[in-house]
Structure formats: structure tokens, C-alpha cells
Amino acid sequence: QILADLELPKSGVIWDIGAGCGSIGLEALKLRSNLDLICIDKRIGSKSLILENSKRLGVKPKFIFEEDIENILNMRKFSSIEKPSRLVIGGCNKKTKLLIINKIARDMTIGSIIIIPIVDVQTIEELKKELEINNYKTNLNLIQTYKSLSIAEGMRLEPNNPIFLLKGKK
């Protein structure tokens, strides 16, 4: 659903913050090979995992930063990194998400899209308001999945945690 909500352009720059294993950004590259992907994740080992997964998919991210996004945003080299037209903000707390919105989102161009997967319902309204202050039209979708479990009479469905997808489009 995240990939669909990103409305991937034929070319441009996508940032995947909190990239983890790279699944979102790498799949975006698989769909649109002319995109430049910048993956950022602070966990040690994330860079090698993203590189391994990129080889499996036959794609190549432009940059992979194994570093905290706050450090990147405060470094001088931040100004030389290509700004995104698509931005996924995952894997960080509300304070960091707000910082990212205020440091990156305000400079993104008309037509740019930000997707923020959220599991903490208390943060939705504040992030939504911040996107709107920065001239983004927002919408919110709830994604709920279930997995099957065998029981004596057959099977039952057990819910996974719901994910809210907050989308902002400039």
C-alpha cells in the first residue's frame, strides 16, 4: 500500500528513512528503475542487509547511510544530498518525524509525496497538522491484516497490529 500511495514517478529521488532491510525503497526501484534511492537507517548492519537485498532484486540504491537521520540533517553534507520528491518516514519517534518534516518537507516541490507509517495513534494528529502547516494535503488510511491460526474446528483469524498510513501531497 505504501508503494501505491507514493505514486512513483518515472524518475526522481526517493528517501527511505528508517529503511530497515530496504524493502520499500528497493521495491520502488524495482518498479521504477530511473529513481535514485537514498536509504537511511541507524541500526548497525542495516547497510549490508540493504546491499544484500538490492543484489537479490537486481537494483542499486544511490546512497545507503547507516547513521541516525538527526546526525545527517545536522551535517554540512546534508545540503549536497539530492532532495526527495518521495519520502517515506518510518522507524523513528514522533520528535524525529517532526524534525524530518521541518527540515526536508518544507523544501520539497509541488507534487511531492510523504508517507508516514504510524502505529502510535497519539502521534497522528500532530504529524498531520505539521504536514498541513507545510502546505501538504493529507489523508489517513488504516491498514489491518489478519493471519490464520489452526483450531480444532478449522481455522480462525487473528489480527495483527493496525498500521495507519499518513500521506501528505504538496
Side-chain angles (χ1 to χ4, degrees), residues 5-134:
D5 282 350
L6 283 169
E7 300 174 31
L8 294 170
K10 291 188 189 300
S11 62
V13 179
I14 180 171
W15 283 28
D16 186 357
I17 299 174
C21 64
S23 60
I24 295 169
L26 296 174
E27 287 293 336
L29 277 184
K30 189 78 174 166
L31 293 169
R32 299 284 193 270
S33 59
N34 289 329
L35 285 175
D36 287 333
L37 172 62
I38 297 172
C39 294
I40 302 167
D41 197 297
K42 67 181 177 181
R43 288 174 286 183
I44 294 171
S46 60
K47 184 174 184 173
S48 61
L49 187 56
I50 292 167
L51 284 171
E52 184 179 318
N53 287 334
S54 67
K55 288 176 188 166
R56 285 186 184 138
L57 288 171
V59 297
K60 186 168 174 39
K62 186 165 187 173
F63 295 111
I64 303 171
F65 295 99
E66 192 175 81
E67 193 166 345
D68 192 307
I69 184 63
E70 290 189 46
N71 294 340
I72 292 171
L73 294 175
N74 293 323
M75 294 177 359
R76 270 187 276 153
K77 72 177 178 181
F78 167 66
S79 60
S80 67
I81 301 172
E82 292 176 86
K83 301 304 179 264
S85 62
R86 300 296 185 267
L87 174 61
V88 179
I89 306 173
C92 52
N93 62 33
K94 178 179 73 172
K95 176 182 162 250
T96 304
K97 287 176 181 165
L98 289 168
L99 175 70
I100 293 165
I101 290 169
N102 285 306
K103 288 268 191 161
I104 299 173
R106 70 174 45 161
D107 295 329
M108 292 172 68
T109 59
I110 300 295
S112 295
I113 294 176
I114 298 172
I115 302 293
I116 308 171
I118 303 169
V119 294
D120 175 9
V121 295
Q122 290 79 11
T123 66
I124 293 170
E125 187 58 35
E126 195 169 347
L127 293 172
K128 182 179 180 298
K129 182 186 285 186
E130 202 62 35
L131 285 171
E132 290 169 351
I133 288 169
N134 282 284

